[in-house]
Amino acid sequence: MKTAYLAIGPDQGRFLYGQVVACEARTIVEFGSSFGISTLYLAAAAAQTGGHVIGTEYHEAKAERARATLSDAGLDADIRVGDARETLSGPGANIDLLFLDGAKDLYLPILRLLEPRLAKGALIIADNIPTDRQMPFLTAIAEPASGYATSLIRFGKGGMSCSVRLSPV
């Protein structure tokens, strides 16, 4: 995965951009920045809302490439390198939008780690969601008592989930 080019498509990028702008997200966290394609959409929208993006990437070379991509576009994001369970831990500002696009088996642990910082009404968008709904993250966030309202969205290459935090869990 060090060199794999894993990116969202243009339709997904426009969807992310629109969600950031629509909810006027100011603090945006991205798990799995890779080479920074999704980060471009998030950072461009954050520039409109006066917000900022905190990205995470496990591989240093990908993070460097993402930073260069953002710089070339005249955008900025704080891309942290290492295990997101460490780089995102600790106190911080309330999160308005969380985009999950890293290792799928870490979606639920990352959500649980960041849940105390999720604002009421925060959006949680996850990429690479299987259309058969067989995924612990999706099972947990789609339960009626989960504190989230979740919908699945199909794009050409697969699915995304979009959840709104209704109340603290």
Side-chain angles (χ1 to χ4, degrees), residues 20-96:
V20 171
V21 172
C23 73
E24 299 179 353
R26 299 200 29 87
T27 302
I28 302 150
V29 174
E30 176 184 40
F31 165 61
S33 296
S34 191
F35 291 112
I37 302 305
S38 54
T39 318
L40 281 171
Y41 288 96
L42 295 170
Q48 278 208 290
T49 65
H52 66 281
V53 176
I54 299 166
T56 61
E57 179 48 51
Y58 189 78
H59 301 287
E60 177 67 41
K62 282 185 169 184
E64 287 176 18
R65 223 23 220 286
R67 288 184 193 111
T69 299
L70 288 162
S71 178
D72 289 348
L75 297 168
D76 187 39
D78 171 13
I79 299 179
R80 301 171 183 181
V81 178
D83 187 325
R85 293 169 291 187
E86 296 171 10
T87 62
L88 294 176
S89 67
N94 280 348
I95 298 167
D96 301 307

Side-chain angles (χ1 to χ4, degrees), residues 2-3 6-7 48 50 76 81 86 99-100 105 110 125 142 144 159-160:
K2 270 188 197 181
T3 59
L6 307 169
Q48 278 208 290
D76 187 39
V81 178
E86 296 171 10
F99 180 49
L100 301 168
D105 61 328
I110 296 297
I125 301 171
M160 290 179 110

Side-chain angles (χ1 to χ4, degrees), residues 11-16 18-19 99 123-133 137-138 149-164:
D11 288 343
Q12 292 167 299
R14 287 188 294 274
F15 174 75
L16 287 175
Q19 295 307 300
F99 180 49
L123 291 180
I124 299 87
I125 301 171
D127 194 17
N128 303 310
I129 297 299
T131 54
D132 66 3
R133 299 176 179 243
F137 164 78
L138 193 55
T150 300
S151 296
L152 296 182
I153 304 160
R154 286 192 178 208
F155 287 94
K157 72 176 194 95
M160 290 179 110
S161 67
C162 183
S163 305
V164 176

